[in-house]
Amino acid sequence: MCMTYVLFGTERLSLRRGDIVTNEVLLSSLSVLSGAGLRLYSIAGQDKVEEIFAKDNAEQIKIVERLFNSSLVVLVTAQKPNCLKMLHFKKKQDICNCFYPSEILCVRMNRQRLIVCLAESIHIHDIRDMKILHSIENIAPNELGLCALSLNSHLAFPICQSSGELRIFNANKLRTGMTIKAHDTPLSALNFSPSGALLATASERGTVIRVFCVKNGQRVQEFRRGVKRCVRIASLVFAAGGDFLCASSNTETVHVFKIDARAVEVAELKAIAEVAAKSDSQSKDATTAKTTTTTSTETSEEVPEATHVASWGGMFTKAVSSLLLPAQVSDVLAQDRAFATVALPQSGLKNICALTRVQKELRLLIACEDGFLYMHDFNVEKGGTCKLLAVHDLRGALEDVIELQLSESVLRTQSKPLPATTLPQQSLTMLKSCAASVLIENPEPMPDNSYAGILRGEQTDAMSDSAKFRKLCDAIDTPTKLYDERQFPPVAIAAKD
């Protein structure tokens, strides 16, 4: 039974078919996508995994992403592979549909940005109103849709087909960052740490996993997963504290590596020293330029000041350099072995993993393609082989299904594509980039049977941009309401004299 899993949590875990990439702080829910349908589960305890939503797969859904623990879910179907559908799954409402020039390969989200990755371009949206902020065009063909988005909106994606070279882009400030030559062979997985300070990468060989400092691109640590056989890394995910890195593949072994806190500290100090040295160099150049236009007396007064400023940077650089002893450098670049391992019952199946706290205890969770969720104990002090604690069967038939009905406008676009010129102008917004265009369609409004909706009366116009904005905010913001106005309509009480 083939299944695709998507792990979610307080600050995000995600996965797509064929290339599993996760990014999360605390895991608390699980999404299962199979031929039978889509189901969302809540992980409340070691023995308590509850289904909170279910939907059949008549639309042939191939990508599903949920924004943390919010009500916002985005879908991509095989019928319309270039259409991104945004839904409020708790209210069963469509928010909007975004159309792209080619097939959508990957979607990444945080509370500020929504990233859509195509084969040769990446589109960055403001998740609050879905306005397109920037498009990265003409990138190296990325057929796997490989990319990672940190909680502070750093975006990493491959830029070369023949090697493991990647680029970091600041999706908040819309600025291009550094380029990192991570591996000699093409990348197969990458992921940020919860703080966004570290980036873990794996190549298509799957034998070596590397961790880089995002601030300066320095390699912090290198792990050896294996030597004898090359595998495809399916999942790379940091623990909540960023002190462990879990890696799974299509083999029967899941590896957990321990991040060297000293190595991370040295890399961050070196990044600070480089910034200080650059600032000192710029100050020195500015002082030199200034002294050439002043008198010899002024020059004699300015030079000691510049020397004093530069001396601070020199002292800081020396202090950091003193930490980089040969033995420590060799420790940073050494290929460390796994701190802990898990042996799965069967090899050759794809699986994803996560290190998270369940009922305040750190647990290793593994969702496997065979349809089971495995929970293992994890010893932070000793590591070693992780003990199996519980197994949850996620293959059950869809019972008490909560049907999610899409609007008629979405169904029409699935059965009969319409050219942009025939769609109502009030419900369309065309956002053009350098080489492609993104079409955002506001679906036809659904009847509002709430108390407030009845008071407003019938509204036949298509959903406005402001209404879409309110729906997006309602789906994104947490915590959700403990009640809704249909159950408890507002009551006006007259004040007594």
Side-chain angles (χ1 to χ4, degrees):
M1 183 178 187
C2 181
M3 291 189 174
T4 298
Y5 295 90
V6 187
L7 296 176
F8 304 98
T10 303
E11 289 301 333
R12 184 175 151 71
L13 252 169
S14 59
L15 154 74
R16 67 174 293 274
R17 186 186 302 274
D19 189 27
I20 308 169
V21 181
T22 56
N23 186 9
E24 180 64 340
V25 172
L26 292 174
L27 174 71
S28 60
S29 63
L30 169 70
S31 174
V32 179
L33 177 61
S34 66
L38 166 65
R39 294 190 294 274
L40 300 182
Y41 291 91
S42 173
I43 303 176
Q46 178 177 310
D47 300 318
K48 193 175 182 181
V49 178
E50 299 177 338
E51 182 181 298
I52 58 176
F53 175 77
K55 178 187 184 305
D56 62 32
N57 201 12
E59 302 170 82
Q60 301 177 12
I61 302 170
K62 67 173 189 174
I63 296 177
V64 56
E65 284 279 339
R66 182 185 177 190
L67 178 64
F68 311 150
N69 279 345
S70 72
S71 302
L72 180 63
V73 171
V74 297
L75 304 174
V76 179
T77 66
Q79 297 175 359
K80 297 290 291 184
N82 67 328
C83 176
L84 178 72
K85 304 173 183 178
M86 305 189 70
L87 311 169
H88 190 307
F89 81 89
K90 291 183 180 179
K91 291 187 176 182
K92 298 178 286 185
Q93 291 179 345
D94 305 332
I95 298 176
C96 67
N97 308 310
C98 302
F99 295 86
Y100 298 86
S102 60
E103 180 182 357
I104 299 170
L105 301 177
C106 179
V107 181
R108 297 284 177 257
M109 293 187 290
N110 62 23
R111 294 200 181 276
Q112 292 81 37
R113 298 289 181 259
L114 183 144
I115 309 297
V116 177
C117 182
L118 312 182
E120 297 184 354
S121 64
I122 297 176
H123 301 277
I124 302 173
H125 295 263
D126 185 339
I127 199 169
R128 292 282 172 171
D129 55 16
M130 283 306 292
K131 290 182 180 179
I132 189 165
L133 303 176
H134 185 73
S135 292
I136 305 174
E137 306 284 355
N138 302 319
I139 63 174
N142 184 11
E143 300 298 335
L144 297 177
L146 185 62
C147 68
L149 181 67
S150 69
L151 299 181
N152 54 2
S153 296
H154 280 111
L155 174 66
F157 57 93
I159 58 173
C160 183
Q161 279 188 300
S162 58
S163 68
E165 193 172 2
L166 63 91
R167 178 169 297 154
I168 297 178
F169 185 89
N170 191 326
N172 256 346
K173 299 180 179 179
L174 305 179
R175 293 191 308 202
T176 301
M178 70 181 67
T179 299
I180 299 176
K181 182 67 179 296
H183 300 268
D184 294 330
T185 55
L187 297 172
S188 67
L190 70 163
N191 191 21
F192 287 98
S193 64
S195 66
L198 301 177
L199 176 67
T201 64
S203 71
E204 60 183 12
R205 291 180 181 176
T207 56
V208 175
I209 297 171
R210 291 174 178 149
V211 179
F212 297 89
C213 176
V214 174
K215 294 180 180 179
N216 60 0
Q218 177 186 345
R219 187 192 304 175
V220 174
Q221 215 166 350
E222 185 172 279
F223 302 107
R224 170 67 64 174
R225 191 210 58 80
V227 180
K228 295 182 180 180
R229 52 180 175 174
C230 297
V231 301
R232 181 173 184 80
I233 298 297
S235 173
L236 275 180
V237 58
F238 285 88
D243 47 354
F244 294 99
L245 176 66
C246 185
S248 65
S249 62
N250 57 345
T251 67
E252 70 280 5
T253 306
V254 176
H255 300 80
V256 180
F257 304 97
K258 189 171 184 178
I259 302 297
D260 188 350
R262 179 63 173 170
V264 175
E265 181 183 359
V266 169
E268 291 180 344
L269 286 173
K270 185 176 180 181
I272 296 173
E274 290 174 352
V275 173
K278 183 178 180 180
S279 177
D280 291 341
S281 177
Q282 293 175 350
S283 299
K284 186 176 180 180
D285 293 342
T287 303
T288 303
K290 183 177 181 180
T291 55
T292 57
T293 60
T294 58
T295 62
S296 58
T297 303
E298 293 173 340
T299 303
S300 63
E301 294 176 354
E302 293 291 338
V303 170
E305 182 180 353
T307 305
H308 176 70
V309 174
S311 64
W312 281 102
M315 291 173 60
F316 195 44
T317 303
K318 290 180 180 178
V320 174
S321 299
S322 65
L323 297 173
L324 296 175
L325 300 177
Q328 292 169 329
V329 173
S330 62
D331 289 340
V332 170
L333 300 180
Q335 293 182 342
D336 297 330
R337 296 290 178 174
F339 176 75
T341 59
V342 170
L344 297 175
Q346 186 177 354
S347 63
L349 298 177
K350 298 176 184 177
N351 54 78
I352 62 173
C353 55
L355 272 170
T356 186
R357 294 196 178 276
V358 179
Q359 295 177 326
K360 299 182 180 181
E361 297 292 335
L362 192 61
R363 297 288 183 251
L364 175 59
L365 307 186
I366 303 172
C368 188
E369 195 177 19
D370 60 4
F372 292 92
L373 173 66
Y374 301 90
M375 289 193 183
H376 292 80
D377 186 21
F378 182 75
N379 192 318
V380 179
E381 300 296 332
K382 298 181 180 179
T385 302
C386 299
K387 179 183 177 181
L388 180 63
L389 299 177
V391 179
H392 296 274
D393 189 351
L394 306 177
R395 303 171 301 170
L398 292 172
E399 297 179 358
D400 299 325
V401 175
I402 303 174
E403 292 292 340
L404 181 61
Q405 300 294 339
L406 298 181
S407 64
E408 294 181 0
S409 62
V410 178
L411 296 176
R412 284 202 303 269
T413 56
Q414 291 177 354
S415 59
K416 183 179 180 180
L418 297 177
T421 55
T422 63
L423 294 171
Q425 294 298 323
Q426 295 180 354
S427 65
L428 296 180
T429 303
M430 181 68 74
L431 302 171
K432 295 185 178 180
S433 59
C434 299
S437 61
V438 177
L439 185 66
I440 299 181
E441 176 192 4
N442 298 330
E444 294 179 357
M446 296 181 65
D448 187 359
N449 297 321
S450 66
Y451 184 81
I454 294 173
L455 292 180
R456 286 194 301 266
E458 294 293 333
Q459 297 181 352
T460 58
D461 295 336
M463 185 170 61
S464 63
D465 289 339
S466 61
K468 178 180 67 179
F469 174 79
R470 289 193 298 271
K471 284 193 175 185
L472 277 169
C473 291
D474 183 36
I476 292 170
D477 292 336
T478 54
T480 57
K481 296 179 181 179
L482 298 179
Y483 61 90
D484 73 34
E485 57 189 7
R486 299 182 187 182
Q487 296 176 338
F488 302 99
V491 178
I493 302 177
K496 296 183 179 179
D497 296 335

